Amino acid sequence: MLLVSLFLLLQPPTERALLEIEYNRSEDAAPLSKALKSQDAHLQMRAARTAGRLERPSLGDAVVPLLGSSDPGVRREAVAALAQMGASFDFGGLIGVEKDGSVRAVIYEALGRDRPVRAGSEALLVASLKDKDPLARTGAARGLEWLIRLNIKAARPEPSTIAALREAVRGNRISDLRQFALLALNLLEDSDPETLDIALKDDDPQVRRLAMVGGKRWVEDPSPMVRLEAMRLFGNCERAFTAIQNDPSSHVVLAAVDLLGKEKCDPNAIADLVGHGRDWRVRSRALVSLARVAPEAARSRLSGFAADSRFQVRVYAANAASLAKDETVLAALARDANPNVVAAALTTFDEALRALESDHSGLLLAAAEKLSGGSELKASAPRILATIQRLSRRGQVTVRDPRLRLIEVLGEASDPNVIEELRPLLADRDPVVAALVAKVLTEKTGKRATAITTTYRPEPLPSEAALRSLDGATAVMVMKGLGSLTLELLPREAPATVATFVGLAEKGAYDGLTFHRVVPNFVLQGGSPGADEYDALTPQFMRDEPGFTSHRRGTLGISTRGHDTGDGQIFINLIDNWRLDHTYTVFARVTSGMDVVDRILEGDVIESVRVQRPGKAR
């Protein structure tokens, strides 16, 4: 028995054990260190990724030896892990000895992300734009973009760096590289005509879009994403009305409608759109634009929109009523059956107090903002406390946002007797809530309080068999009235996230929900039962699983409001959102149906999400 125990003790941890360490954010680094010393390259790579995701610089010394591995995959994961954990390491010292272009690419990016900037990093990255390997050259451009973005407020790059970035746009066939170079030049507000003229003729619309932004001038373009950016940045009344009449892209049309109000365009023409726009989105947004330009004209049209059967239309009516200062319509909408409408219409302290009866996170946050600073706050403290206690009894960590804000508002009331009732929350499941309660109790009661809960414990990780069954899985998302899109799931990249998504999909949790947030040239966000950014589909938070897969156009990520705060809401990248890398999880990519994605608008309904696992009959 002793020999068996000793044998097991000497064995390296399994991949499952590493995933458990990562998922639970375990403080015990001994099993991880053992895996990093394994002779199994696959296990070393998995261990390095776990170390990076734990984001503890103290683990850097255990990862550094992997840089000497003969396997480029191990070296690549080691560099990425050191960068992700923010370890103090001289990445530039690796350049001269690293022979693999894919590893050099990761080194260059790490060099750009390094904080503080090491002497010579900028010059090294500029020189590396001439690296013979195309992957490495692209990594160097990305590293420069990171370096400039993270440090632009502190120091401006050398003129030679700007010249090298211009040349990178003009002299490379790699679309990603040209994007990174243009992103960097746009950060520097460099508008070199020769560079931008070439980029505006690029085959890739994403490159042309960035060139249009950098050139600061209106352009005509066959791509909707370029036309949209042009309308947002350089549109005027004439261009907006032309687009509303002629542009085939609904996203461009809606951007033009919004522009009418900002540019103070002809109120009669806007009013015509309010009455005769092509659909409810155009009419509703035209109403808001009209309220900006001609409040009286908007007031005369509010009642019909306020009575519309679509809650989204009533939200726009509330926004228009607020601009037009129509208190009668706002008061009526503040009693609407839909919490999103109420949140948009809240104007009085009493309405905010009434809203505390809701369980809708977005409405509770809006109510808390309206209550903050109110003269009747102290008298209302018991009702605020009761709401906090009700939400806390549910045991759902994903209602963090309204609980935190309401605790802060309760602290403003400065009633020590009421605030003392928060003391049980020192042991709340959410350590962030417990910490805030300790702070408020200490400040407002004069009695030192210490949080009992200091670590968040998520739901148990799915079984090894359950995770293994996800290899090769796909999903089909059917959008009502639009068509379907097929998703390749990425369990090797984000196993816990894919498992959560699949579990929700197989329970039908996404069926009937909407894409409530549509930001053209950025993301579509959906999957909230409250049709807002704050109401969660999961009761507990999900773990972040950033990796090598970038947030390219057509990839899917998990929405968060801070580190490790995923809640089941998903987003689809409409462009290459490089700046989301290393922070947000990518768990799937669209393999067919991007034409459907590009047609999704606010309020469009997810009819179903069906998962197909390998080996199961369709």
Side-chain angles (χ1 to χ4, degrees), residues 81-279:
L82 291 168
Q84 188 70 22
M85 69 177 67
S88 178
F89 185 79
D90 180 15
F91 294 104
L94 299 173
I95 299 301
V97 297
E98 180 54 62
K99 304 302 182 185
D100 188 279
S102 68
V103 182
R104 290 200 303 278
V106 180
I107 295 171
Y108 294 143
E109 185 181 354
L111 196 63
R113 294 170 62 195
D114 204 12
R115 303 290 294 273
V117 180
R118 291 178 182 266
S121 293
E122 182 180 327
L124 180 55
L125 287 170
V126 168
S128 301
L129 290 173
K130 300 292 186 181
D131 193 299
K132 64 181 183 298
D133 187 280
L135 277 178
R137 288 200 303 277
T138 304
R142 186 166 201 194
L144 263 179
E145 194 275 336
W146 270 109
L147 186 147
I148 291 169
R149 175 153 46 94
L150 294 177
N151 302 283
I152 190 169
K153 293 182 179 178
R156 186 172 177 84
E158 295 292 326
S160 57
T161 298
I162 298 174
L165 287 167
R166 292 173 180 172
E167 178 57 31
V169 175
R170 299 194 295 259
N172 281 278
R173 294 185 176 183
I174 306 166
S175 173
D176 291 354
L177 192 158
R178 298 196 300 278
Q179 283 194 59
F180 294 133
L182 281 169
L183 283 166
L185 290 170
N186 287 353
L187 285 168
L188 297 169
E189 298 184 343
D190 181 79
S191 54
D192 176 61
E194 180 184 353
T195 302
L196 294 174
D197 284 347
I198 291 173
L200 283 169
K201 299 171 186 174
D202 201 277
D203 290 339
D204 187 339
Q206 300 208 66
V207 173
R208 300 200 303 275
R209 181 183 75 86
L210 293 173
M212 187 276 302
V213 172
K216 296 181 174 59
R217 64 178 188 261
W218 174 266
V219 296
E220 301 286 351
D221 194 276
S223 170
M225 70 169 61
V226 182
R227 298 199 305 275
L228 174 76
E229 209 71 64
M231 183 61 65
R232 281 176 174 170
L233 297 176
F234 313 116
N236 56 32
C237 295
E238 180 182 356
R239 289 167 178 164
F241 282 119
T242 298
I244 291 166
Q245 292 174 356
N246 301 321
D247 201 293
S249 167
S250 294
H251 291 306
V252 176
V253 169
L254 292 173
V257 173
D258 292 342
L259 187 74
L260 299 177
K262 296 171 185 175
E263 293 294 312
K264 307 295 183 185
C265 300
D266 179 6
N268 291 324
I270 300 174
D272 186 59
L273 283 175
V274 173
H276 306 290
R278 69 169 72 168
D279 63 14

Side-chain angles (χ1 to χ4, degrees), residues 9 57 62 101 164 204 228 252 257 285 309 330 368 371 376 392 396-397 438 449 451 502 511 528 582:
L9 186 63
D204 187 339
L228 174 76
V252 176
V257 173
R285 290 165 84 148
S309 60
L330 285 170
L371 293 171
E376 305 170 63
S392 299
Q396 297 179 344
V397 178
V502 167
D511 299 1
S528 166
H582 311 300

Side-chain angles (χ1 to χ4, degrees), residues 322 326-335 342-356 363-377 380 383:
S322 181
D326 191 318
E327 296 180 3
T328 302
V329 169
L330 285 170
L333 291 175
R335 291 183 173 275
V342 178
L346 286 182
T347 56
T348 70
F349 192 92
D350 286 343
E351 289 169 351
L353 274 181
R354 187 169 64 243
L356 293 181
L363 175 53
L364 289 169
L365 278 166
E369 293 303 319
K370 188 61 63 177
L371 293 171
S372 180
S375 59
E376 305 170 63
L377 194 55
S380 305
R383 291 184 66 176

Side-chain angles (χ1 to χ4, degrees), residues 517 519-524 572-575 577 579-580:
R517 179 178 178 234
V519 187
N521 282 1
F522 184 44
V523 298
L524 308 171
I572 306 177
N573 289 296
L574 297 175
I575 61 170
N577 283 313
R579 65 185 176 87
L580 302 184

Side-chain angles (χ1 to χ4, degrees), residues 283-298:
R283 294 191 294 272
S284 299
R285 290 165 84 148
L287 178 69
V288 175
S289 285
L290 185 63
R292 294 181 187 278
V293 177
E296 187 60 41

